């Protein structure tokens, strides 16, 4: 098991341990993804929808690419993106990644504090290396440190 797989599995276990009955019943244990499945769904090249909150409290959601690195989810971002301003006021984000349909449907939701990191910062280098695509356009990165993760795979994981 890789470090990412272990971290994702343990975070999910803690998240479900704190979840209320409605959440737990919406995500039956037999349909929760394994650490390996979570790592594959969140692998470099994945896309999801990142939600942040505007200064006036209205939601903002936009598609984004992502990479998991050192127990965080990183999002490269263009200069002037609405989400950058949102995070200066409300430093919290939610991410949803989905794939497939019907019996092949899988999804993961993550939620946690988020911060903006300048693209030139030393701490970005590891995430950028794992990103595995050209990044000249990225003026900043968002680092979300998930506190919750919930997943569902239509094909039961056993």
């Amino acid at each position: 098991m890789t470090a990412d797989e272990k971290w994702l599995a343990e975070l999910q276990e803690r998240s479900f341990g704190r979840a209320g009955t409605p959440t737990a019943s919406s995500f039956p244990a037999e349909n929760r993804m394994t650490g390996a499945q979570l790592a594959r769904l969140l692998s470099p090249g994945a896309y999801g929808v990142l939600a942040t909150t505007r200064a006036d409290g209205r939601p903002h959601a936009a598609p984004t690419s992502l990479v998991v690195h050192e127990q965080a989810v990183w999002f490269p971002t263009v200069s002037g993106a609405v989400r950058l301003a949102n995070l200066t006021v409300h430093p919290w984000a939610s991410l949803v990644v989905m794939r497939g349909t019907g019996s092949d449907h899988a999804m993961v939701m993550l939620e946690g504090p988020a911060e903006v990191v300048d693209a030139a910062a030393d701490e970005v280098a590891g995430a950028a290396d794992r990103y595995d695509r050209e990044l000249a356009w990225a003026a900043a990165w968002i680092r979300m440190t998930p506190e919750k993760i919930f997943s569902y795979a239509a094909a039961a994981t056993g």
Side-chain angles (χ1 to χ4, degrees):
M1 179 179 287
T2 69
D4 287 342
E5 292 169 358
K6 184 176 186 211
W7 166 65
L8 291 164
E10 289 173 352
L11 176 59
Q12 179 172 245
E13 186 70 25
R14 288 192 308 272
S15 298
F16 278 109
R18 297 185 308 259
T21 302
T23 299
S25 65
S26 295
F27 298 91
E30 63 272 14
N31 291 94
R32 295 174 192 162
M33 297 172 77
T34 65
Q37 290 172 312
L38 289 165
R40 276 193 303 276
L41 191 61
L42 298 171
S43 65
Y47 286 88
V49 176
L50 184 68
T52 57
T53 305
R54 298 174 191 267
D56 65 5
R58 292 179 299 140
H60 174 264
T64 186
S65 56
L66 59 107
V67 64
V68 173
H69 178 64
E70 294 187 352
Q71 298 189 2
V73 184
W74 294 76
F75 312 94
T77 306
V78 297
S79 179
V82 170
R83 64 185 77 183
L84 297 175
N86 294 349
L87 290 172
T88 63
V89 179
H90 300 288
W92 194 268
S94 296
L95 172 71
V96 176
V97 177
M98 297 184 298
R99 70 155 177 79
T101 60
S103 63
D104 188 41
H105 171 75
M107 59 78 57
V108 62
M109 299 183 311
L110 299 100
E111 183 178 298
E115 63 183 320
V116 177
V117 181
D118 185 274
D122 290 341
E123 60 194 315
V124 169
D129 286 347
R130 290 189 81 180
Y131 190 70
D132 198 32
R133 285 184 269 166
E134 188 275 321
L135 286 165
W137 55 269
W141 286 72
I142 295 169
R143 175 180 45 213
M144 178 176 66
T145 308
E147 292 183 356
K148 291 181 185 177
I149 182 171
F150 298 109
S151 72
Y152 179 88
T157 61

